[in-house]
Structures are given as structure tokens and as C-alpha cells.
Amino acid sequence: MLEATDYPLFLLYMMSRFLLLIFALCVACTLQAQEDVAPADFIELLAEDLSLGEEGLEYDAILEYLNELQNAPLDLNTATAEELSETRLLNDLQVNSLVQYRQTVGELINQYEMQAVPNWDLPTIRKILPFIKVKGDLDDYQVPLLRQLYQGDDQLILRWSRTLQTQEGYRKTDTLADGTPAAPYLGSPDKIYFRYRHQYANRLSYGITAEKDAGEEFFQGTQSQGFDFYSAHLFVKGNGIMQQLALGDFEARFGQGLVMWSGLAFGKSAESIRISRQGTRLRPYTSVAEYQFLRGAAATFQFKNIECTVLASRKAIDRGSKSDTVRIDDDGIIIDDEFQDGDVLYNIVEDGLHNTLTDIDNKNALQQTDIAAHVRYKGRQFQVGASGLRTSFDENLDLSNGQTYSQYRFKGEALLGGSVDYRWTWRNVHFFGEAAMTDKGGTAFVNGMMASLHPSFDMSLLYRNISKDYFTFYATPFAESVGGMGEQGTYIGFSFTPIRNWRINGYFDMFRNRWLRSDSDAPAYGYDQLVQATYAPNKILEIQVRYKSETKQKNVNSLTQVLEGAQMTYLEEETIDNFRVNVAYKLNKSLTLKSRIAISGYDRASTEKEHGYLLFQDIDWHPFGKRYSIKARYAFFDTPTYNTRIYAYENDVLYSYSVPPYYGRGTRWYAVLRYKVLRNLDIWLRYARTDFDDRTVISSGNNQINGSARDDVRAQIRWKF
């Protein structure tokens, strides 16, 4: 294995060889295919931009939405600003430019007129073409609702996946009283997903989604009803007084996310000026994350310039185990750690896994009720709104869990929050913000702006100030940490097109936490920066170079001392660097090659510096006129520890995604085969294998594999009718 001091020279050598190989490939290939890049490529690139190390995000929601738009494109003449922003293909400056253009000039005549819209450049137009239309042949609102219920598109999906190696949780390690063997995991290692959905354009949707996670029982034992998780929805859009109606499972998004923003909320990404929260107020919920959604009914009404959204939700959620209550005063001093009658200390469990007896005992043990409303006035250039949310539980909760750093988290049975938000567009500048408060005394403020200072230069600025005691269960503002409790920060982003075919994006974010965190026993600061240069001279070649660095103060685990009977932990800076070069080349109508080298670094004073790398080659083969297509990757990686992990988006079956962290030393490859059996029947097969050179045991606990290799398989079938 290479020594740490050898990494810089080795990585420079690898990168130089890699770039020489790509240069030779580009020179040697003379095929000049002029076709548009497939819409699926844009979906992949979008997910890639968002995979900057954010774990646990439900990317399938945006991937599915963009796939839907391919079948039912938005009409640029009728689409609202919220609908356009929700695609993530346009920033707010571009959305506002289109809205103002329609108000001033009138409806677009055809797609070629998009070039006349201010702030819309040719790359943007090419990117959105698969998802939009101009003046559709049929006005969807003219079709009666009853007819929409049975006309349109129906889709049935069944997906199965499994890890082939036996994990410790599935080994028979215990015996029940009757002598039968028992395992920590109750069910099989199979993961099963089922979905039926009916859609009429983007006006009506209803369906049901069900999932069984690995280790959960299926139509037996604790899961006699079949799947562990079921979700159903009915969603209707109108053009009268009632604009939206949601029944069953849905998402709600108000303001800048300080009070209510359920579902997927994007943070910092290479799309550096896209920082404001904007989207349709309500959306159907079609994912399988089992916590961050609403279940009940909601509606949006429009009265001239006044829009009102109301909702009511009640759902059963999982709780953590009850333990002794620890009482802490305002200075963080423990004053009572004895459990008394009536004291309850529960955590909310969000992973949705129910594959052990403990998980089953805590499943759906709490009832959560949410009542919320949002009212806003919509002018041509200005809008202002107000939100309110009340969340309550059927039992007393204490989410501080007896820890000093979390003592300001929710305690009690109910929480009330409210906010005021605004948007204002003045010439080429767009302002937005929200101010919020809870009945516990917490306050939060988010204010930002985006400006087009020159046809080739856009910038964004955002300031957030969230008190240490501000908390709501659906707070997802733009912040470094989820919810942003105790965070204050300033973000600056820019997008620059210095010359034709070149684009440079970047941001700098400086933040500080004014209270303790799980990894810092004192208020701490940090800063995050990214710069990305993209060169796309034509439709067949794109070269992208990205550098990202993040520095935070964290506890020094190895340097402590005892002072007056208390343990004091020092803080030090931790810096994580990532550098990558990505090249995509479309050889012809059927074959696209994508290559990448990524380098990571980890540095803090109390430990040795670490360096890692990832090198992979992708092949995307769509033979013209054939029923099948193949996407594959072969990767080499060497990262000493999890600290230098490198994230990379992987192709998967339809509506699924994979953004795994590469860490350790070894190789990984995968292949995805799609075969079109009939016109409306498709199957996908995916096989992925990781071979480690630095270990004989993979993972730990119930997920431990005794061996140096892991194989994962996935199969999916889709029937459209």
C-alpha cells in the first residue's frame, strides 16, 4: 500500500495519464454526431450536481418528476413560476424572465422564440427542451375530471433487490422457547417495491406505493398484511377557485422552508445561484421514505390575487426506546436524572426499518397530527405570504435525550410555529426571504437575492440567522445542517460565462454554530467553498473540473484533560478537500463514454493527513433500433478511511438511484441492462460488485459480511397501459 507521503506524486501521475488518454481519444475520434443528448442524461447530471456528499436524500422524487415531464411536458405559456422552478432546470432569474416576457410580449409562438427570453442562453434551452412544450394541441383543463380518472397513462412497477452474501443479521444465532431458531432480522434479505400510478398529463394523479425493506417479514409473522409500508394518493390540479386538491399522502412547501417544507429540499450544489426555495404548494407523495411526508387532506384556493393553502394530517410514526428522563437547567447542568411516573423520553425514528423485534415494538407507537395554512398575495412583481403550523403528539416527548448539546430541541406534546415570507423582483434582481417564530421563543430569518449583473455574470447572496432554540418538525431552510438550529451564515454564489462554450460556477459559504453540537462541545465555525469550470464546445463533448473544500471545527477526540472534575474537550479545524475531472464524449448515436478521476483529502492537526482517489470509466450503449441498452462502470478506489470517502452517482433502474460513498481500497463495477420486451413492457437488470483489498470483513453489526466482496442485484419490470 502507498505511504501517505507518496500520494501527491502518485495522484499527479494518474491524473496526467488520465488527461492524456482523454485528449488522445478526443483527437482520434472524428465522428460528429449532432443529435440532442438523451433526456436521461440530464436527469443523471442533475443528480450528479446534487450528490456532493449529502446522505439520506430522496433523489427518486426529482428523478421521477423529470421522467414524468418527458411524457407530459410543461407548456411554457401556461406553466406557473412554481411549476417551472420545481423542475430544477431553471433558476429563479430565468423563471422570472419568462414570466415577465409573457406579461410584456405575450405568449410564445414556438420553441425558437425561447432565445428571445432574457437570461435564457442556448445551453439552458437545450437542457429544458425534452421537458417543455409551446402551445399544446389539447388544453388539458377542458377535459372533464371524470374522464381524466380513466383516460391518461397507467403504470405498474415491480422491483426486487438483494445482497447475495449472507449478513450476520440473517444467521440463526438464537433459539426460542419452543426450540425453533431465531435471527436478529425477522424476514428475508429481499427488498421488494410495488407501485401503481395513473396520470392524466400533469393535472391528475392517483396511485399506491408499497415497500418491504431487507430483513422485514412479508405476508407472515409481524407483517401479515404484506408490505411493511403502504402509501396512496389522489392529486388534482384545477384552473378555477380550487387550484390543487390532495388526498392521502402528500407534501407541502411554504415560503423558504423555515416552518413547513416536507419532502426533498435541495441545499448547496454546483448550481451555485439556485438557492431560494420555490415550488408548487402541494405535491403528491410517491416516494418510500416513511417519515417526512403528510397524510390526510389539503387544498389550495385562488381568489383573484389571494392564494390560500390549508392542510390537515395525522399519521402513525415510530418512536425510540423509553429511557430515564434527565432534566437539564438553562446552563446545561443536570438537576434530576431519576425516572418518575409520568416522565416520558422518546425519540422519533425516521429510518422506516422494521426488521427486528425492537423495531416492531416501536412501530407506529406515536400519533402525529399536523394542521397548517399558508396565505399569500401575488402581484406582478411582488408577493407576500404568511404560514402557520401546529404539530402535536398523543404522548409527551423529549427529543433532547438528556444531552447538553440537544437540550433546546422539542419537549412537550405540541408545537406552534408561524412565519412571514416575501418575493420581489426589481429589474434584473430577485429578492426573497422569510422570518419565523415558534411558541417556544425560537426565531429564524432567511434573506437572499439573485441578480443578473451582466448577460454573462449572475450572482446570489443569502444570509440566515436561526436561534439555538428554533425548531419545527418540517423546517428545512437553506443551511449547512438539517434544520439549521443555532446557525448563522452568509452564502455568496456566482455563475460566469467568460467566453462561448465555457461556464464557471462557484460559491463561498461561511457559517458558525452558536451552540453545542454532537461533534463540538463549544460554539464552532466553518466555511465551505466550491468552484467548477465546464467546457462544452458542442453537443458531443463536455469537460468538467470541480474543486470543493469544507472546513469545520470539531472535538479533538484524542486530547482531553480533567479540570475540576469535568472533562474538557478542545476544538480543532477539520478540512475535507475534493477535486475531480469529468469528461463525457458522445462517440456516435449509440455510444457515450464518461471518465472521471476524483481526489479527496482529509486534514486535522491531531491526526495524520489522508488522501484518496477514485478513477472510473462509464459506458452508455444504446444501439440504434435495438430493444436493449446497457450502462456500465468499472472503478478503482483507494481512500484510507471513511474520512476521505468519495461520492459518485451510479446509474440504476428507472425511478431508483444510487449515490454510494467509495471508501477503502478495491474495485467496483456495475452494469444495468434495459430490455424492451414489448412496446409497453420493459425490464431492467442491475448487478453491482465491490471487491476490497484491505479487509476481510465488510460493515458491522447485523449488516456484517464475513468476506472481502459484496454483490448486489436488482431487477425491475414496468408495464404501461
Side-chain angles (χ1 to χ4, degrees):
M1 182 175 178
L2 293 173
E3 298 294 334
T5 55
D6 297 330
Y7 266 99
L9 291 176
F10 172 74
L11 293 175
L12 285 175
Y13 169 77
M14 289 289 294
M15 187 170 66
S16 64
R17 299 285 294 181
F18 175 79
L19 293 177
L20 284 173
L21 174 62
I22 296 302
F23 178 77
L25 177 64
C26 295
V27 172
C29 294
T30 58
L31 295 174
Q32 298 295 318
Q34 298 298 319
E35 294 75 14
D36 289 334
V37 179
D41 294 336
F42 290 124
I43 297 174
E44 176 182 343
L45 291 173
L46 175 63
E48 186 65 71
D49 279 336
L50 298 169
S51 62
L52 301 177
E54 301 176 83
E55 299 181 73
L57 291 181
E58 289 297 321
Y59 295 98
D60 57 338
I62 186 63
L63 299 181
E64 179 180 350
Y65 180 59
L66 290 180
N67 272 286
E68 292 171 7
L69 289 183
Q70 295 179 51
N71 298 322
L74 286 176
D75 189 338
L76 289 184
N77 286 324
T78 59
T80 65
E82 291 81 8
E83 289 175 331
L84 292 167
S85 180
E86 193 170 20
T87 66
R88 297 289 299 180
L89 300 172
L90 300 169
N91 60 53
D92 282 1
L93 290 174
Q94 294 168 329
V95 170
N96 292 330
S97 293
L98 175 62
V99 173
Q100 293 180 22
Y101 183 87
R102 292 188 317 204
Q103 293 171 349
T104 304
V105 180
E107 293 186 349
L108 280 69
I109 299 175
N110 52 47
Q111 294 180 345
Y112 300 104
E113 194 178 349
M114 289 189 292
Q115 300 178 65
V117 179
N119 298 319
W120 283 41
D121 54 14
L122 192 56
T124 297
I125 294 173
R126 288 175 178 169
K127 182 169 61 176
I128 69 170
L129 274 176
F131 310 102
I132 58 92
K133 64 181 179 181
V134 176
K135 281 187 176 291
D137 297 330
L138 177 64
D139 186 349
D140 298 325
Y141 289 114
Q142 300 300 320
V143 179
L145 177 61
L146 183 61
R147 188 180 301 174
Q148 295 182 29
L149 290 172
Y150 63 86
Q151 288 186 351
D153 299 318
D154 292 87
Q155 190 169 248
L156 187 66
I157 292 178
L158 183 62
R159 182 190 307 155
W160 167 85
S161 56
R162 177 173 183 155
T163 298
L164 296 184
Q165 285 79 11
T166 300
Q167 297 169 298
E168 285 298 307
Y170 301 101
R171 298 183 184 277
K172 306 302 180 183
T173 58
D174 200 358
T175 302
L176 299 178
D178 59 0
T180 59
Y185 286 158
L186 301 174
S188 72
D190 301 307
K191 185 173 182 177
I192 303 173
Y193 170 93
F194 166 85
R195 189 182 77 169
Y196 164 75
R197 189 173 184 185
H198 170 88
Q199 286 181 277
Y200 185 87
N202 57 1
R203 303 306 176 193
L204 178 139
S205 171
Y206 62 81
I208 183 171
T209 304
E211 184 190 48
K212 169 203 175 299
D213 288 310
E216 295 174 346
E217 293 185 290
F218 191 53
F219 283 107
Q220 63 179 357
T222 60
Q223 302 293 351
S224 58
Q225 73 278 16
F227 290 93
D228 172 72
F229 176 72
Y230 288 95
S231 175
H233 75 275
L234 170 63
F235 188 81
V236 181
K237 285 185 179 181
N239 64 343
I241 293 178
M242 180 174 287
Q243 294 285 304
Q244 295 176 310
L245 173 66
L247 300 175
D249 294 346
F250 61 94
E251 299 173 349
R253 303 167 181 178
F254 302 157
Q256 294 300 310
L258 284 178
V259 170
M260 166 64 75
W261 193 281
S262 62
L264 186 59
F266 298 107
K268 290 176 283 189
S269 78
E271 293 290 338
S272 50
I273 65 169
R274 188 175 290 137
I275 57 174
S276 71
R277 296 273 192 266
Q278 183 169 213
T280 56
R281 295 295 173 259
L282 302 174
R283 271 196 56 79
Y285 184 74
T286 58
S287 186
V288 290
E290 300 182 23
Y291 175 69
Q292 201 71 2
F293 67 95
L294 298 156
R295 176 167 288 176
T300 298
F301 302 93
Q302 182 81 40
F303 306 95
K304 293 184 178 180
N305 292 336
I306 304 297
E307 179 191 85
C308 178
T309 299
V310 293
L311 67 87
S313 167
R314 183 173 176 83
K315 63 184 179 182
I317 60 174
D318 298 352
R319 70 181 180 195
S321 299
K322 181 171 68 175
S323 59
D324 290 351
T325 297
V326 179
R327 304 183 188 278
I328 306 174
D329 65 15
D330 292 338
D331 297 322
I333 305 300
I334 296 177
I335 57 176
D336 180 12
D337 60 357
E338 296 295 327
F339 185 78
Q340 303 173 3
D341 291 340
D343 290 345
V344 177
L345 176 57
Y346 289 128
N347 279 323
I348 295 176
V349 180
E350 303 179 17
D351 59 18
L353 296 176
H354 306 111
N355 47 22
T356 67
L357 289 175
T358 300
D359 294 334
I360 295 297
D361 289 340
N362 293 322
K363 178 183 178 182
N364 296 338
L366 296 174
Q367 292 290 330
Q368 178 177 338
T369 302
D370 298 287
I371 300 175
H374 181 269
V375 180
R376 68 170 174 170
Y377 170 81
K378 298 169 61 176
R380 292 189 64 177
Q381 306 298 332
F382 178 78
Q383 58 181 260
V384 60
S387 303
L389 168 68
R390 185 182 189 274
T391 300
S392 60
F393 300 88
D394 61 342
E395 295 189 38
N396 190 53
L397 300 184
D398 183 351
L399 301 188
S400 68
N401 203 22
Q403 300 295 324
T404 304
Y405 71 85
S406 59
Q407 65 171 288
Y408 291 105
R409 294 185 180 178
F410 174 75
K411 304 180 184 70
E413 293 185 357
L415 175 67
L416 182 65
S419 71
V420 176
D421 62 89
Y422 71 92
R423 287 182 174 275
W424 177 40
T425 301
W426 178 71
R427 295 184 179 179
N428 292 328
V429 185
H430 179 66
F431 300 91
F432 60 91
E434 185 175 14
M437 178 180 289
T438 68
D439 61 344
K440 307 298 183 182
T443 59
F445 303 90
V446 172
N447 290 279
M449 57 86 70
M450 291 178 288
S452 181
L453 304 180
H454 186 271
S456 63
F457 187 83
D458 299 329
M459 71 162 294
S460 59
L461 176 66
L462 183 139
Y463 173 76
R464 71 263 191 193
N465 191 334
I466 305 172
S467 66
K468 61 185 178 183
D469 54 349
Y470 181 82
F471 174 83
T472 76
F473 287 90
Y474 298 96
T476 52
F478 185 96
E480 172 65 22
S481 58
V482 177
M485 288 185 66
E487 183 175 317
Q488 182 181 22
T490 302
Y491 172 99
I492 301 175
F494 71 90
S495 179
F496 180 42
T497 307
I499 57 176
R500 186 180 180 184
N501 302 326
W502 281 88
R503 181 181 294 274
I504 302 175
N505 293 351
Y507 67 75
F508 180 79
D509 186 35
M510 181 171 58
F511 50 87
R512 67 186 183 98
N513 299 310
R514 291 170 293 176
W515 186 241
L516 320 182
R517 301 182 64 83
S518 60
D519 55 4
S520 60
D521 292 341
Y525 66 82
Y527 49 91
D528 184 12
Q529 53 198 329
L530 176 145
V531 62
Q532 174 177 289
T534 303
Y535 174 61
N538 48 50
K539 300 178 183 179
I540 64 174
L541 174 66
E542 181 179 277
I543 301 175
Q544 186 184 90
V545 180
R546 176 187 295 180
Y547 173 73
K548 183 179 187 293
S549 177
E550 184 171 25
T551 298
K552 293 182 180 179
Q553 283 188 310
K554 292 187 176 181
N555 291 333
V556 181
N557 300 322
S558 60
L559 182 60
T560 59
Q561 61 179 221
V562 177
L563 180 63
E564 297 180 356
Q567 191 179 56
M568 302 294 292
T569 304
Y570 295 91
L571 299 183
E572 67 177 359
E573 288 188 351
E574 174 190 86
T575 300
I576 299 176
D577 297 307
N578 288 277
F579 173 79
R580 80 182 198 191
V581 178
N582 193 82
V583 178
Y585 194 87
K586 189 175 181 66
L587 292 175
N588 52 43
K589 295 179 180 180
S590 302
L591 184 61
T592 300
L593 300 179
K594 299 177 183 179
S595 308
R596 176 179 302 175
I597 182 170
I599 303 170
S600 63
Y602 178 83
D603 185 19
R604 60 188 301 174
S606 62
T607 63
E608 294 185 0
K609 293 183 179 180
E610 299 178 18
H611 299 280
Y613 76 89
L614 166 67
L615 178 66
F616 69 68
Q617 176 65 52
D618 282 358
I619 298 176
D620 188 347
W621 186 34
H622 292 75
F624 183 74
K626 301 297 183 181
R627 292 177 176 267
Y628 58 88
S629 63
I630 297 175
K631 295 185 178 183
R633 169 179 298 173
Y634 195 85
F636 300 90
F637 59 94
D638 190 346
T639 63
T641 68
Y642 194 69
N643 295 326
T644 49
R645 64 192 180 277
I646 300 174
Y647 290 87
Y649 173 84
E650 294 185 351
N651 289 294
D652 213 312
V653 302
L654 183 67
Y655 299 150
S656 186
Y657 71 94
S658 181
V659 191
Y662 288 74
Y663 69 95
R665 187 176 72 250
T667 59
R668 177 174 172 83
W669 66 269
Y670 73 83
V672 182
L673 168 67
R674 177 185 179 182
Y675 187 78
K676 198 171 189 65
V677 181
L678 299 171
R679 179 182 178 186
N680 296 324
L681 184 64
D682 302 87
I683 62 171
W684 285 262
L685 299 174
R686 186 180 194 269
Y687 193 102
R689 179 180 175 89
T690 305
D691 289 283
F692 291 95
D693 299 332
D694 60 345
R695 68 194 66 182
T696 57
V697 174
I698 302 174
S699 192
S700 60
N702 282 341
N703 295 323
Q704 178 175 309
I705 296 174
N706 296 320
S708 61
R710 172 171 176 151
D711 297 270
D712 296 285
V713 294
R714 181 170 295 164
Q716 177 170 294
I717 184 170
R718 179 185 66 167
W719 178 32
K720 296 191 297 183
F721 55 96

